[in-house]
Amino acid sequence: MFCGSITVEAAAALPLFFFAVLALCCMLEVTAVRTSIRCGLQYAGKAAAETAYAKPFLLPGSIEQDLVQAAGADRLDRSLVESGSGGIRCEGSRMSMVTGIMELEAAYRVRLPLPVFGGVSVPMEESLRVKGWTGYEKAGLLTGEEETVYVTETGMVYHRDYHCTYLELSIQMVPASALDGLRNESQGKYYPCSGCVHGEAHGLVYVTDYGEKYHSSLNCSGLKRTVYALPLSEAVGKGACSKCG
């Protein structure tokens, strides 16, 4: 009787023990995968920062390629990442034309090969901010206690936040064929820029999150922002920005 009870308890405990070991191994593997992808994202960010002065925008495909190269394609293909090295997406990465700060994001899914969970996949995301090598602007340009505001050459408003979305242009490359269904953050359509779009657009064009125009050239003046810092008292005739004012 005594030996029989031990056998029953062992039969019930062993599956739980093996499940705990399997769960621990999965946790260690997920941690290792996240560390590899974060290191790869840091490598991709450094590579993008080095070319930020000559190329003031981000190509998600290049970020993904550099990330996979740094993390190791074979390592990712053998990991718990769904679709392996091809399952990492960096579409959310962007760069500010004003500050040169790049926000990199790597989204992917991790499979959990545990019978209890039915082999489900869990979404994961790694992110970091990197300053592009575009130069340095010393803080504290103005003295005294008067508030500092920011204006552009042709803008009719002043901004209290240097990182206002109307000052930071997040440029994206999109196919011209997708413009009809594309909307900006205000749900408005994109119209051709009178300065750089002549005739029907083809291939890839450039748009911004809050802009109303699409551009065929990255050097178009509509994609440039020259920002000046000045005391609020000198912003005569300008109204406050609807977002940061």
Side-chain angles (χ1 to χ4, degrees), residues 51-241:
T51 60
Y53 184 80
K55 188 174 64 175
F57 61 93
L58 287 180
L59 294 175
S62 297
I63 300 297
E64 294 170 5
Q65 183 178 357
D66 291 340
L67 188 160
V68 171
Q69 178 182 352
D74 292 339
R75 168 70 177 91
L76 294 174
D77 290 338
R78 289 184 285 103
S79 69
L80 296 178
V81 176
E82 197 171 77
S83 301
S85 58
I88 299 177
R89 294 288 179 263
C90 299
E91 286 90 349
S93 301
R94 59 187 58 202
M95 173 181 175
S96 167
M97 293 277 293
V98 176
T99 62
I101 294 178
M102 294 177 283
E103 298 182 359
L104 307 182
E105 295 182 1
Y108 57 99
R109 301 186 71 89
V110 172
R111 300 186 307 272
L112 297 179
L114 300 176
V116 175
F117 298 105
V120 298
S121 62
V122 179
M124 296 281 186
E125 182 179 291
E126 310 299 332
S127 62
L128 59 87
R129 302 185 71 187
V130 181
K131 176 67 170 67
W133 296 3
T134 56
Y136 172 71
E137 181 177 339
K138 185 178 180 181
L141 296 176
L142 305 174
T143 59
E145 298 181 354
E146 187 172 359
E147 181 182 5
T148 301
V149 295
Y150 306 94
V151 300
T152 61
E153 289 181 304
T154 58
M156 301 302 295
V157 299
Y158 63 82
H159 305 264
R160 285 191 165 92
D161 183 5
Y162 188 69
H163 300 287
C164 178
T165 52
Y166 287 135
L167 293 178
E168 292 190 345
L169 294 181
S170 298
I171 301 177
Q172 303 177 41
M173 290 175 44
V174 298
S177 57
L179 286 171
D180 289 340
L182 198 62
R183 297 294 183 270
N184 58 24
E185 290 293 334
S186 302
Q187 299 305 309
K189 294 185 62 176
Y190 289 99
Y191 299 94
C193 171
S194 58
C196 65
V197 178
H198 306 288
E200 188 175 353
H202 299 281
L204 295 175
V205 295
Y206 304 93
V207 299
T208 60
D209 289 344
Y210 290 89
E212 298 179 349
K213 307 291 185 180
Y214 64 84
H215 309 263
S216 61
S217 172
L218 189 62
N219 296 319
C220 178
S221 59
L223 293 175
K224 306 294 183 182
R225 288 288 186 273
T226 302
V227 183
Y228 300 96
L230 72 163
L232 179 59
S233 60
E234 295 185 12
V236 180
K238 296 182 181 292
C241 171

